[in-house]
Amino acid sequence: MPAPLRWIQQKFGNRTGYHRLSSDTDRHEKVDELGPLELHDDDEANEVQSARKKTLKIRTHIKKLIVLLPSFLHPSDPDTSTRDLRKAAWLDGLRGVSAFFVVWHHISLIFFSWDLHNGWTGFNDPFIRFPIIRLAISGLPNVMVFFVISGYALSYKPLSLLRQDKLPDAYHALASSAFRRHPRLFMPAIVLCLPCILIAYLGLYGDGESIPGAAVPTLDPPRCDTLWQQILDYGSAVAVLCDPFTGDATGWVYNNALWTLPIEFRGSLVVFWLLLSLSRVANAIRMLFVFGVALYCLYFVHWAEFLFVGGMLLADLQFHLSGCEEYNEPGDLEVGIRRRRSRVLISTAHRRRACTVGCHILRITTSLVSFIGALYLLGMPKLERAAAETPGFGVLASMIPERWRDAGLPDHFWLSIAAVWLVLSIDRAPFLQRVFTCRFSQYLGQISYSLYLVHLAILHSFGFRMGKFFVELTGYETELRYFMGVLAAVVVFWTIAIWVADLGWRFVDAKVVRFSFWMYNRICKRVMAY
């Protein structure tokens, strides 16, 4: 074989399309036809193809890692239409904003003193103490708003079906909600708090340490000698938390923010009981009866039950006042409620004649006054925090019933009423609902539950240590330096908290909702006789 052909075969093999020819003349002619240019082009094409394969592999791995980014950083599909906000409830956004403020409340407790939560007595006090502004760092008022929203959301679909006389569908919806309520509340809490085992075992909590002058110390759960003992300790704490009969999470050592979960579960059962027992009662009688139960709860200091029953009453009142008895099936199963489609029962022409410009302005003004009044009352400070000296609250503090004082809950009386009043004000003012249907509020609503579950463990471990680190850099000498150090730590904390909450929402919270639906549909009877 001639040297040029041997070199070509050794260099390129069969990639050049080389075949054995019949004669030496043909061989030389074939080499002349190929030429050096065609051979180099084929080699470059193979290299390009190999590079493309490597690029595709890299892109595949990147796509797998993108799922770990917060959902708002994911690349969006331009062909996918945006979510119809008519299917989204303003209650989701309100719940998200309330959860956002609860986190700020816990931040304020771990980095600042209780004086920050005193009542506003004059312009020399920090502006954050003003009754409405102080809601941004208040815990209990925002938790009460949670409970009203829960009562509203849990009763929305059954009430709608009952008003349409669809009793079988209402019973099915009620049974499904009751079956799924316990796993819906506690399964995400158990899973998302699992890292607390390692945090406690490795001693990453603050171990009861506190920044000088801070309102509360850090969490100090028991640190066991072995990881297995730590797991068993966590399991025993979870058993107490999830007990459906006597569950109590007050001061839960791994995450004391979970004190609301047993209350949430018991309040849900009260709503389910009222819906079932009054399912065959006329609408007006049912509303009257529920109103009486709410007054009973308020009189006998059952503040949490009052909030849940109040939320149920607001949902029924919404159907009654709007004349809307058609349920719009929600697209988001984890909430079970989306914005209603109001049906106008009078003609458009008649409505235009009846609703004048002056009437419209009066309605907006009344809604704004009601909304501001509810916020002001909801921002009432504790009695021990100079509530009586705060403008507007002196008389209200003296009007708290003795029964509430004797029960040790005088601060809960007006806050409970204000929470129901606030939800009512927003419910009757569509223009106010826009604040809670923007993208930011809706996103907070999506991650609100997981954010509520994970933020305290992060704050009392990583957040606390970051706070000490940055404050040591900036110094304690002046309030400005201390504030700048805390601000730097809070920025880092919020970055981590939002990221973890987003992952918890997508990989735990949403999947628990789908799992509970699947489980219920799997075990329930296919055909039921009524």
Side-chain angles (χ1 to χ4, degrees):
M1 179 181 294
L5 291 180
R6 189 182 301 113
W7 180 84
I8 292 173
Q9 186 176 14
Q10 293 175 354
K11 183 68 175 175
F12 299 101
N14 291 331
R15 292 180 297 171
T16 60
Y18 169 76
H19 299 282
R20 185 178 181 85
L21 300 179
S22 58
S23 64
D24 292 341
T25 304
D26 293 336
R27 291 190 186 99
H28 291 292
E29 291 177 355
K30 189 65 179 177
V31 172
D32 294 338
E33 291 175 2
L34 289 173
L37 183 59
E38 287 82 354
L39 295 177
H40 287 294
D41 288 343
D42 193 22
D43 186 41
E44 292 177 358
N46 289 324
E47 292 179 357
V48 170
Q49 186 176 5
S50 177
R52 287 179 178 175
K53 290 181 179 179
K54 293 181 180 179
T55 303
L56 289 176
K57 289 182 179 180
I58 294 174
R59 288 179 179 178
T60 302
H61 292 301
I62 291 176
K63 288 181 179 180
K64 292 180 180 179
L65 294 177
I66 285 178
V67 74
L68 298 178
L69 294 175
S71 57
F72 56 83
L73 295 180
H74 291 183
S76 58
D77 186 1
D79 296 331
T80 303
S81 58
T82 58
R83 186 177 62 170
D84 187 1
L85 287 180
R86 289 178 299 174
K87 296 180 180 180
W90 57 270
L91 288 174
D92 295 338
L94 178 60
R95 182 183 57 183
V97 172
S98 297
F100 184 69
F101 289 160
V102 167
V103 178
W104 278 110
H105 168 69
H106 290 143
I107 292 174
S108 68
L109 294 181
I110 200 173
F111 289 122
F112 299 96
S113 68
W114 277 114
D115 293 341
L116 193 66
H117 297 268
N118 288 342
W120 185 79
T121 58
F123 291 99
N124 293 328
D125 294 337
F127 186 63
I128 194 66
R129 294 184 187 176
F130 192 80
I132 295 179
I133 306 301
R134 71 188 311 273
L135 287 173
I137 57 170
S138 298
L140 183 60
N142 289 289
V143 169
M144 289 183 171
V145 174
F146 287 165
F147 292 163
V148 179
I149 293 174
S150 295
Y152 194 118
L154 290 173
S155 58
Y156 188 85
K157 183 176 181 178
L159 285 174
S160 174
L161 295 172
L162 289 176
R163 283 180 169 267
Q164 299 176 72
D165 294 327
K166 297 180 179 180
L167 290 181
D169 294 336
Y171 291 152
H172 175 73
L174 184 58
S176 176
S177 297
F179 177 86
R180 294 180 290 105
R181 192 56 178 166
H182 191 275
R184 173 69 185 92
L185 289 174
F186 293 98
M187 284 184 66
I190 295 173
V191 176
L192 291 177
C193 289
L194 281 176
C196 295
I197 299 175
L198 284 178
I199 295 176
Y201 178 70
L202 297 176
L204 298 180
Y205 277 109
D207 298 331
E209 187 181 356
S210 64
I211 292 179
V216 298
T218 56
L219 293 175
D220 186 20
R223 186 179 181 184
C224 301
D225 297 331
T226 64
L227 181 60
W228 177 246
Q229 291 177 348
Q230 196 75 56
I231 294 173
L232 292 179
D233 184 79
Y234 178 80
S236 61
V238 165
V240 175
L241 171 69
C242 300
D243 188 344
F245 303 106
T246 60
D248 184 11
T250 303
W252 202 58
V253 291
Y254 288 94
N255 189 343
N256 57 21
L258 271 59
W259 66 272
T260 60
L261 297 192
I263 298 176
E264 181 90 25
F265 181 69
R266 290 194 292 269
S268 302
L269 295 183
V270 173
V271 172
F272 296 149
W273 166 70
L274 286 174
L275 289 170
L276 180 61
S277 59
L278 301 176
S279 59
R280 301 186 65 87
V281 176
N283 296 331
I285 301 299
R286 179 182 61 247
M287 294 177 61
L288 184 62
F289 190 90
V290 173
F291 180 72
V293 173
L295 290 180
Y296 175 90
C297 294
L298 189 64
Y299 181 78
F300 287 101
V301 203
H302 302 299
W303 65 273
E305 290 77 8
F306 168 77
L307 295 170
F308 277 88
V309 175
M312 175 183 172
L313 180 62
L314 294 183
D316 215 354
L317 184 65
Q318 175 264 311
F319 286 115
H320 179 75
L321 295 179
S322 65
C324 174
E325 299 185 0
E326 180 179 359
Y327 177 70
N328 182 23
E329 186 68 23
D332 187 0
L333 296 178
E334 66 183 280
V335 178
I337 179 174
R338 285 297 180 257
R339 178 178 294 181
R340 63 186 181 273
R341 295 179 180 176
S342 299
R343 300 178 61 190
V344 182
L345 301 181
I346 58 176
S347 64
T348 304
H350 179 69
R351 182 181 180 183
R352 288 177 178 176
R353 290 193 299 268
C355 185
T356 61
V357 176
C359 179
H360 183 67
I361 294 176
L362 179 61
R363 184 181 305 156
I364 292 178
T365 304
T366 304
S367 300
L368 280 175
V369 171
S370 177
F371 177 68
I372 295 174
L375 288 177
Y376 194 91
L377 182 59
L378 193 64
M380 181 177 180
K382 294 183 178 181
L383 296 182
E384 61 187 32
R385 295 292 165 192
E389 289 76 22
T390 304
F393 294 124
V395 177
L396 295 178
S398 63
M399 294 173 60
I400 297 176
E402 287 298 327
R403 188 181 294 270
W404 286 76
R405 296 179 184 272
D406 295 339
L409 300 172
D411 302 313
H412 291 58
F413 179 73
W414 288 113
L415 295 184
S416 300
I417 297 175
V420 177
W421 183 12
L422 177 66
V423 177
L424 174 63
S425 300
I426 303 174
D427 188 39
R428 303 312 307 164
F431 71 95
L432 291 176
Q433 298 172 11
R434 298 173 187 172
V435 178
F436 305 103
T437 55
C438 66
R439 290 186 178 182
F440 179 71
S441 298
Q442 289 295 300
Y443 177 72
L444 289 178
Q446 290 174 332
I447 68 170
S448 60
Y449 191 48
S450 58
L451 178 63
Y452 183 80
L453 295 176
V454 304
H455 80 274
L456 203 67
I458 300 174
L459 178 63
H460 282 245
S461 55
F462 182 80
F464 172 73
R465 298 184 185 279
M466 290 298 297
K468 289 182 60 179
F469 172 77
F470 282 110
V471 169
E472 288 177 358
L473 289 180
T474 58
Y476 295 85
E477 290 77 10
T478 63
E479 292 184 358
L480 179 60
R481 287 189 174 186
Y482 179 77
F483 177 79
M484 295 304 297
V486 171
L487 180 61
V490 167
V491 170
V492 178
F493 160 76
W494 269 114
T495 303
I496 298 175
I498 292 294
W499 174 59
V500 175
D502 191 284
L503 293 177
W505 160 54
R506 289 185 285 125
F507 292 105
V508 178
D509 194 28
K511 293 186 182 298
V512 165
V513 172
R514 289 194 291 267
F515 172 77
S516 60
F517 265 100
W518 174 84
M519 178 61 69
Y520 178 77
N521 294 328
R522 185 76 174 177
I523 66 177
C524 69
K525 295 180 180 179
R526 298 299 179 185
V527 179
M528 301 183 68
Y530 293 93

